[in-house]
Amino acid sequence: DEVADPDILRVLFRGTTMKSLLESVMGKPMKRMQSLDGLTQQQKLTRVDWFVGGLKDCEFLPFEYPVDKVMFAAAYGNQVYPVLFEVIKRDIHCCWSLGPDMLAEGSKILLTSQIKFPNGLKPTPDVQTTAAEARLQKHHLSADE
């Protein structure tokens, strides 16, 4: 059971976990990326390349962020953990910026808002924009803040 497994490296490289993480960050499906189960090391390296490229495309990782993709594909923590930390940092920053709206009574901001990433990628389908969503869309997620 993936939920009960405390080893994030093992979970990330099993099944469609990496695909799901990338899709949630990018806000769109990654059709070419499927389960990592049963893949050769070279195939995993290709998937890692897609994963890291996707994170850079939607600016969750800076373009110049150094990732040793061979070591990442081999699930070496010293390569994987810093990348996951960057993703978590962006997620926390987004939640923090939405904090007051999330705490409002009856708030459905997490159910209805769509994160507008700086490069224009966005989840689908479109929903009616609320004032909180408009603030979120104007807010570019910055890891430096």
Side-chain angles (χ1 to χ4, degrees):
D1 182 89
E2 291 184 21
V3 175
D5 193 336
D7 186 349
I8 188 66
L9 294 176
R10 195 168 42 223
V11 171
L12 184 64
F13 287 91
R14 183 172 49 209
T16 58
T17 306
M18 190 179 295
K19 171 187 168 66
S20 297
L21 177 60
L22 184 58
E23 288 177 338
S24 68
V25 167
M26 291 183 69
K28 66 179 187 177
M30 256 322 258
K31 293 177 183 160
R32 64 182 179 174
M33 190 171 192
Q34 298 300 320
S35 175
L36 296 179
D37 293 341
L39 298 181
T40 66
Q41 198 60 25
Q42 183 60 42
Q43 290 170 317
K44 286 183 182 181
L45 182 59
T46 300
R47 293 347 177 249
V48 165
D49 193 41
W50 295 344
F51 179 75
V52 172
L55 292 175
K56 288 181 177 185
D57 286 348
C58 64
E59 300 178 7
F60 260 65
L61 283 179
F63 181 73
E64 67 280 349
Y65 193 88
V67 177
D68 182 335
K69 293 173 188 165
V70 173
M71 297 298 274
F72 191 105
Y76 278 39
N78 65 345
Q79 289 298 310
V80 178
Y81 291 137
V83 170
L84 292 178
F85 179 75
E86 291 298 319
V87 171
I88 292 167
K89 195 165 70 171
R90 292 289 181 128
D91 187 50
I92 291 170
H93 180 78
C94 178
C95 290
W96 184 262
S97 67
L98 289 174
D101 297 311
M102 288 190 290
L103 294 174
E105 187 173 331
S107 174
K108 295 183 181 180
I109 188 77
L110 289 179
L111 301 174
T112 61
S113 67
Q114 296 180 1
I115 297 173
K116 180 166 176 35
F117 294 102
N119 64 355
L121 293 174
K122 66 177 184 175
T124 56
D126 289 331
V127 294
Q128 186 175 11
T129 301
T130 65
E133 290 168 323
R135 283 195 303 278
L136 175 62
Q137 290 175 354
K138 289 180 183 177
H139 180 74
H140 290 260
L141 300 175
S142 172
D144 297 330
E145 294 183 4

